[in-house]
Amino acid sequence: MQLPESVASRIKGRILYGEPLKNYTTWRIGGPAEVLVEPASREDVAAILAFVQEKGLPVTVIGNGSNLLVSDRGVKGVVVRIGEALGRVRIAEERIVAESGAKLGRVAAIAQAAGLAGLEFSVGIPATIGGAVTMNAGANGASMADVVEAVRIIDYTRGERILDREELDFRYRWSRLQELQAVGVEVVLKLTPGDPLEIKRRGERHLQKRRLTQPLEFPSAGSVFKNPPGDAAGRLIELAGAKGLRVGDAMVSERHANFIINLGNAGAQDVWRLIRRVQEMVWSKFGVGLDLEVKVLGEDFV
Ligand SMILES: Cc1cc2nc3c(=O)[nH]c(=O)nc-3n(C[C@H](O)[C@H](O)[C@H](O)COP(=O)(O)OP(=O)(O)OC[C@H]3O[C@@H](n4cnc5c(N)ncnc54)[C@H](O)[C@@H]3O)c2cc1C
């Protein structure tokens, strides 16, 4: 499928055909996107959404691909990748207004330099700000829900509107953006004034902890499973004896049992079979069903 010239010429950002999505996921896994669009403005997002709606095409939104398991067979229809092309950031007193493709780390660095505290918990999470809000990404006892004031979205059918904190209905690794047919295009964060050096130190402490506890030298998608209430998925996986378990080049990390690492050439099916195996082992030992934190895209996952 090719976008008609009348649509393509209205989009300022990049348009690619058959682009391997492994280039856009932190697991380095994923087959081709039939069409990949990287919007450079809200108008670009509106234009591509209007086209897919009119034609009834499937549409998939991705951010930095750090929480995604993408099928080796790729994704049909249009993949809208919200990245740094849509990543302008500005400060308005105690608020930061960031287009949703801005990398979370860059937003945190801007906040730190401006003496605005609240994002230190997130240092080291390789997300876009839009992906982080969608997932309610969290660490170190805090999450995006603590700092998000509002999100501007473009609804597939209803156009642009603003959702406030209440409407986003944040829960553990969940926000309403996960069930809406919408693209988050801009995020407003409300932060707290603080000493830039102190903010920096807190962020560095969190980063240091990650370096010691996570296998950051291998491609991964962070924690694969959600923590069951009152417990840690990694603890259960370790006690079930699954650390080091391997399917092809996919392996349960020895350093952090809730990470599945790609040793080189793992495919989505390798990771999927390993996920199933880990779930079975934890179920048979503890009677606990582990739910996925990562999102799966494409068709092969049964
Ligand atoms: C090394 C490593 C460490 C990690 N540590 C943590 C951690 O400490 N805490 C944590 O919570 N997570 C962590 N993660 C997971 C991941 O970084 C988060 O889930 C992050 O929020 C995903 O953001 P993203 O931009 O990569 O989104 P993607 O992975 O691209 O997408 C995630 C979901 O959000 C949707 N989405 C993305 N952008 C938008 C948008 N603009 N509008 C609408 N929907 C959108 C997608 O459709 C998808 O459903 C880690 C991952 C890695 C690789």
Side-chain angles (χ1 to χ4, degrees):
M1 188 224 322
Q2 293 264 329
L3 296 185
E5 188 47 32
S6 57
V7 177
S9 63
R10 284 172 57 202
I11 294 173
K12 303 281 177 296
R14 283 206 303 176
I15 301 169
L16 300 161
Y17 297 97
E19 179 73 3
L21 287 168
K22 68 200 273 185
N23 297 340
Y24 303 91
T25 63
T26 55
W27 242 329
R28 298 281 167 258
I29 292 172
E34 197 172 358
V35 183
L36 180 73
V37 176
E38 290 183 330
S41 66
R42 273 145 61 185
E43 290 72 25
D44 282 7
V45 177
I48 192 64
L49 290 181
F51 172 71
V52 296
Q53 279 306 116
E54 184 195 319
K55 298 289 176 198
L57 296 170
V59 59
T60 306
V61 187
I62 67 170
N64 197 42
S66 63
N67 200 44
L68 298 180
L69 179 59
V70 180
S71 162
D72 301 320
R73 291 202 288 175
V75 178
K76 297 225 167 56
V78 176
V79 174
V80 180
R81 177 174 183 259
I82 304 292
E84 280 286 351
L86 189 68
R88 285 158 285 249
V89 179
R90 66 186 163 87
I91 298 175
E93 294 178 355
E94 291 171 17
R95 291 180 174 75
I96 287 197
V97 182
E99 287 181 335
S100 53
K103 287 268 186 68
L104 183 55
R106 185 162 68 84
V107 179
I110 290 170
Q112 182 273 326
L116 292 173
L119 269 184
E120 302 87 289
F121 77 87
S122 75
V123 174
I125 301 179
T128 60
I129 192 95
V133 175
T134 305
M135 293 304 303
N136 188 18
N140 307 299
S143 74
M144 294 306 292
D146 299 318
V147 289
V148 171
E149 187 171 72
V151 176
R152 184 190 298 274
I153 62 167
I154 302 182
D155 196 295
Y156 294 179
T157 50
R158 296 165 58 194
E160 201 170 297
R161 68 195 155 105
I162 291 174
L163 298 181
D164 65 22
R165 217 181 151 280
E166 296 296 298
E167 291 168 300
L168 286 160
D169 193 18
F170 286 114
R171 291 177 230 161
Y172 171 60
R173 298 297 171 269
W174 195 87
S175 79
R176 212 163 138 234
L177 286 176
Q178 290 187 28
E179 67 179 22
L180 287 175
Q181 302 277 293
V183 181
V185 287
E186 189 176 77
V187 175
V188 182
L189 305 176
K190 174 93 165 43
L191 300 171
T192 319
D195 172 33
L197 263 183
E198 267 305 306
I199 298 170
K200 191 163 188 207
R201 277 196 208 107
R202 280 197 294 271
E204 279 168 356
R205 267 203 302 277
H206 293 322
L207 195 57
Q208 187 56 21
K209 195 175 99 195
R210 271 175 199 277
R211 290 195 178 120
L212 292 173
T213 57
Q214 299 181 356
L216 300 178
E217 63 279 32
F218 292 102
S220 80
S223 291
V224 173
F225 302 101
K226 290 183 186 170
N227 288 325
D231 211 331
R235 189 188 82 88
L236 299 176
I237 296 166
E238 182 168 356
L239 290 176
K243 259 192 176 179
L245 202 68
R246 200 171 154 173
V247 175
D249 264 355
M251 189 176 97
V252 177
S253 165
E254 298 275 5
R255 194 170 317 148
H256 191 315
N258 202 7
F259 277 50
I260 290 180
I261 55 176
N262 180 355
L263 296 171
N265 288 309
Q269 274 307 309
D270 298 327
V271 173
W272 187 245
R273 281 168 48 213
L274 192 52
I275 283 173
R276 286 299 199 210
R277 186 83 194 93
V278 168
Q279 284 173 323
E280 279 162 21
M281 287 171 81
V282 169
W283 177 258
S284 67
K285 179 138 182 129
F286 299 105
V288 175
L290 290 180
D291 290 331
L292 281 183
E293 179 172 321
V294 294
K295 303 285 181 190
V296 296
L297 297 184
E299 282 162 8
D300 300 329
F301 306 109
V302 280

